[in-house]
Amino acid sequence: MSAAEPVVAICPGSYDPVTNGHLDVIARAAGIFDWIVVGVVRDPHHKATMFSVEERVQFLTDALAEHENVEVDVFAELVVEFARRHRARSMVKGLRVISDFEWEFQMNHLNRLLAPEIETVYVMSSPQYSFVSSSGVKEIAAFGGNVDELVPASVAERFRQLFPEGRPGAPLSPQE
């Protein structure tokens, strides 16, 4: 009798940048699955990235170094093709708020149509990270705010390099 094949899951995202909320979801997934592949979207079509793909990968690699069953890889294909390439049976997605669910619900239906053999597993954000988003972190850092408790140390340091004085003025509200 041969040993069972390890159960692999992917955790895809742009990770621009990785936050402590992302790391929480990935670490919890690593406790459930045998192997996790963190998939970094090379060039997301729905948004421009602040950090290069190399920086995003390095931030993740550094932050996840203690997890022996986690690897980081880059992809520029359909997420289901990335999952198939890694022989993943599951895709793990974090959910923070209702609006995350609405988007993920749509994506789940499309992915199920393309790859019914790949199951999406949703991990609810830990309460202390439910308000943390990459876009929110970038906004805070750009205006000189402290993001040390929201992101890994290497990301916080990079923000200090990018915005040593912070931007002048106040952030624009969506209504402006």
Side-chain angles (χ1 to χ4, degrees), residues 14-79:
S14 58
Y15 300 104
D16 186 46
V18 62
T19 68
N20 290 342
H22 292 129
L23 296 176
D24 175 61
V25 168
I26 295 165
R28 289 163 54 206
I32 297 168
F33 295 94
D34 297 326
W35 192 257
I36 298 292
V37 181
V38 178
V40 180
V41 179
R42 179 174 296 284
D43 296 306
H45 289 269
H46 64 285
K47 59 183 169 184
T49 58
M50 174 179 279
F51 297 99
S52 70
V53 70
E54 293 81 11
E55 283 180 298
R56 292 180 281 140
V57 166
Q58 193 61 57
F59 291 148
L60 282 158
T61 302
D62 292 346
L64 295 166
E66 68 185 49
H67 297 281
E68 295 180 4
N69 65 332
V70 176
E71 73 174 286
V72 180
D73 193 12
V74 176
F75 72 103
E77 63 209 300
L78 289 172
V79 71

Side-chain angles (χ1 to χ4, degrees), residues 17 19 22 96 129-138:
T19 68
H22 292 129
R96 295 172 301 136
Y129 303 120
S130 62
F131 65 92
V132 180
S133 68
S134 293
S135 57
V137 166
K138 287 187 280 193

Side-chain angles (χ1 to χ4, degrees), residues 11-12 15 21-22 25-26 28 91-97 100-101 104 120-125:
C11 291
Y15 300 104
H22 292 129
V25 168
I26 295 165
R28 289 163 54 206
M91 180 181 333
V92 176
K93 304 292 295 217
L95 294 176
R96 295 172 301 136
V97 292
D100 286 352
F101 176 79
E104 294 298 342
T120 303
V121 176
Y122 298 96
V123 176
M124 296 302 297
S125 175

